[in-house]
Amino acid sequence: LFVFIDPFGATGVPFATVSDVLESRCSEVLINFDADGIARNLRNDHVLDEVFGDKSWHAVRDAPLPFEIQCRRLLLLYKEKLKGQPNVRHVFSFEMRGSTGLLNYNLVFATGHPRGLEKMKEAMKAMDQTGEYSFTDADIGQPRLFRFDDPEEFAEKMYKEFAGARASYNQLNNYALDETPFRNPKKMLKFLEDKGRIQVQTVPGRPRKKGTFSEDAIQQVIFQPPDAHA
């Protein structure tokens, strides 16, 4: 079941309804988290209490912050609530901006299966290539446009996350799905290997060519400590 939800539409969609949909392991949702909808209802406790399912959003609303930062914090809060649903394993948001660069809305996707998020990212990448959409990450702070084919910025984020640690391919794949625009970590790992910032240990009897990252051949990836390449 794939459900498109507009919680700020004419009839509204309480979070309890979203939770009910996600009770099934076979359900996925794509939610239009609309900046205009937030702006219209920022002082309407009843509407946003229903959208969030509680009053947790009040602390963000009452903070003396620019509206766009409030939108980002409300988005992060909503994503955390989705992640708290028992059958949800992956939540990712695509921030959409108009030609003037102003925030229009976020599309928030939640699924219980990694393949669902892989396919959603494929669809978003196809739209990105038309030049009709702008995508940014959802980090609080200065918005930064990303390209689906440019791994450098997100490779740096991955390195900071795992610096000095060892990680399985599955761990890195989950990180790539949840925290980057990529469907898997391969482009980011290639960038880091070219820079000498990781070492790849392979499964015995499964040799690999440098720059390739077959899931079946990788035993673990060793991330160099931050000062090892200084």
Side-chain angles (χ1 to χ4, degrees):
L1 182 66
F2 178 83
V3 183
F4 179 74
I5 297 173
D6 181 4
F8 299 104
T11 58
V13 181
F15 191 82
T17 301
V18 179
S19 181
D20 287 345
V21 170
L22 291 171
E23 281 188 1
S24 168
R25 294 179 182 273
C26 299
S27 294
E28 298 175 329
V29 297
L30 183 64
I31 297 167
N32 178 18
F33 201 78
D34 183 23
D36 288 339
I38 294 173
R40 289 196 309 271
N41 295 287
L42 202 56
R43 298 296 168 184
N44 189 334
D45 288 7
H46 173 70
V47 171
L48 288 182
D49 284 354
E50 284 207 331
V51 168
F52 283 90
D54 55 32
K55 298 182 181 297
S56 58
W57 67 276
H58 287 207
V60 179
R61 189 268 311 274
D62 296 338
L65 297 168
F67 174 69
E68 185 164 322
I69 300 300
Q70 285 184 321
C71 283
R72 287 173 175 270
R73 290 194 173 181
L74 290 173
L75 170 65
L76 292 178
L77 176 61
Y78 196 82
K79 288 171 65 176
E80 286 302 315
K81 292 185 67 64
L82 289 172
K83 291 177 183 178
Q85 301 306 298
N87 293 321
V88 173
R89 291 179 56 196
H90 302 282
V91 177
F92 194 84
S93 61
F94 302 85
E95 188 175 90
M96 320 292 277
R97 292 179 177 270
S99 58
T100 61
L102 294 176
L103 172 65
N104 286 341
Y105 57 94
N106 292 275
L107 293 177
V108 185
F109 181 68
T111 181
H113 198 285
R115 183 61 60 85
L117 184 49
E118 289 173 8
K119 292 301 181 182
M120 180 57 65
K121 287 185 176 182
E122 286 180 8
M124 290 297 178
K125 182 177 180 180
M127 288 196 299
D128 183 49
Q129 291 173 345
T130 69
E132 296 177 358
Y133 295 86
S134 294
F135 301 91
T136 73
D137 63 24
D139 289 342
I140 293 176
Q142 184 65 29
R144 295 181 62 85
L145 292 174
F146 64 69
R147 291 179 56 87
F148 282 94
D149 58 355
D150 183 7
E152 181 174 354
E153 179 177 346
F154 289 93
E156 293 291 344
K157 289 184 177 182
M158 173 184 278
Y159 174 76
K160 290 178 181 178
E161 178 72 18
F162 293 96
R166 299 167 181 250
S168 67
Y169 183 89
N170 188 56
Q171 286 177 289
L172 299 174
N173 194 59
N174 285 335
Y175 177 85
L177 275 175
D178 292 339
E179 305 296 338
T180 82
F182 299 101
R183 292 177 297 152
N184 60 61
K186 295 179 180 180
K187 288 185 178 181
M188 293 175 288
L189 290 175
K190 183 179 187 307
F191 176 86
L192 293 174
E193 187 173 40
D194 289 344
K195 297 293 185 181
R197 300 167 81 175
I198 62 171
Q199 292 180 335
V200 180
Q201 288 188 348
T202 58
V203 175
R206 295 294 304 272
R208 63 176 282 272
K209 181 180 178 181
K210 183 178 179 180
T212 63
F213 300 90
S214 171
E215 180 177 356
D216 295 336
I218 296 176
Q219 189 172 63
Q220 63 180 352
V221 177
I222 304 170
F223 288 76
Q224 300 297 322
D227 57 351
H229 60 275

